Amino acid sequence: MSEYGYIPESLEVQSQSSNAGIFTPKDIYNLDIAKKWSSAGELELIETNSATSSDASVVALDFENIRGSEFDTHFITIQSGRSNGYQYLSLRFGVDGSYTTSGYRYARQQILHSTYSEDKSTSSSHLRIGSYVYKGENAYATIQNLHKDDRYVQVTSQMAGVEGNNSDSASSIGIGNLPTATSYNCIRVCRTSGVGWYEIKASLYGVRNA
């Protein structure tokens, strides 16, 4: 019998795709406390960043401890208040606080002013995940392969917000990537052209694969 009571010991397997042996409630509890119990798809909060300003000078929120060696997939949620101008909610990726400012690719479908349109780029300074709005934004994005130096970063996103002065709604869905095989270790939430917010809150999660 092994440390956690697997039966038989030769079949000690506990992972996303293959499980064998017998687990008692105590075994599961001990493994969970040791962060060794497999919970595929489970979200673990890494960090929440927030900021407020009286003059809309908050132009970015940075996450520089993404725990990339633990997670192949990250999930980020974003809630923002009023800004000082119309711009696109976006992401950037970087290494040790130095962020890439070119080469992002994205394609989005959006409804703005009750009108459907498409927006895309194969060479952008940001990866857009939001529509051209002023009042407020709520968005999430799934980010894959950030820490993989042999794969491209892949992003899927969805956003809903207020177009401006409570006049209309805006929403979008999109995909994007950064086609350079680099091990990135930080994420920046920003808006194009440096337009900032009066308030913003973002939470970064790791998604457990095994």
Side-chain angles (χ1 to χ4, degrees):
M1 183 176 293
S2 68
E3 179 182 358
Y4 291 112
Y6 304 113
I7 304 173
E9 187 173 1
S10 61
L11 295 177
E12 298 175 45
V13 179
Q14 195 267 318
S15 68
Q16 179 180 353
S17 58
S18 178
N19 289 277
I22 296 174
F23 299 90
T24 68
K26 184 177 180 181
D27 293 335
I28 296 171
Y29 174 80
N30 289 335
L31 286 165
D32 189 48
I33 292 297
K35 295 185 177 181
K36 295 180 179 179
W37 176 251
S38 176
S39 300
E42 182 181 69
L43 296 179
E44 180 172 329
L45 178 64
I46 296 174
E47 184 180 5
T48 294
N49 283 341
S50 61
T52 59
S53 172
S54 61
D55 58 0
S57 61
V58 182
V59 296
L61 288 182
D62 293 342
F63 293 89
E64 298 189 346
N65 178 25
I66 67 167
R67 292 165 57 185
S69 61
E70 295 180 54
F71 302 106
D72 294 337
T73 302
H74 291 78
F75 184 77
I76 190 166
T77 62
I78 303 162
Q79 299 171 299
S80 73
R82 184 167 57 95
S83 72
N84 66 350
Y86 288 86
Q87 278 302 334
Y88 296 93
L89 182 65
S90 302
L91 298 176
R92 279 178 169 167
F93 309 115
V95 179
D96 297 336
S98 177
Y99 290 89
T100 299
T101 58
S102 63
Y104 295 93
R105 299 177 178 178
Y106 63 83
R108 300 184 307 109
Q109 296 179 331
Q110 64 180 4
I111 298 176
L112 186 62
H113 291 302
S114 303
T115 301
Y116 167 82
S117 64
E118 296 182 346
D119 172 34
K120 61 184 178 180
S121 175
T122 58
S123 181
S124 176
S125 61
H126 301 72
L127 197 159
R128 290 182 184 175
I129 61 171
S131 294
Y132 194 68
V133 299
Y134 169 70
K135 192 70 173 181
E137 300 149 307
N138 291 280
Y140 68 81
T142 302
I143 307 165
Q144 295 178 296
N145 304 328
L146 263 179
H147 202 60
K148 297 287 187 179
D149 60 7
D150 60 345
R151 303 180 190 179
Y152 295 167
V153 178
Q154 305 286 345
V155 178
T156 59
S157 64
Q158 186 165 341
M159 167 267 178
V162 179
E163 190 272 332
N165 297 320
N166 297 321
S167 63
D168 208 341
S169 62
S171 62
S172 73
I173 58 174
I175 58 174
N177 67 20
L178 182 55
T180 54
T182 300
S183 178
Y184 296 99
N185 61 15
C186 49
I187 302 168
R188 170 167 287 177
V189 178
C190 54
R191 303 179 95 219
T192 50
S193 301
V195 173
W197 300 273
Y198 288 95
E199 57 182 299
I200 180 173
K201 178 180 179 180
S203 295
L204 179 67
Y205 299 83
V207 182
R208 294 206 172 277
N209 292 331

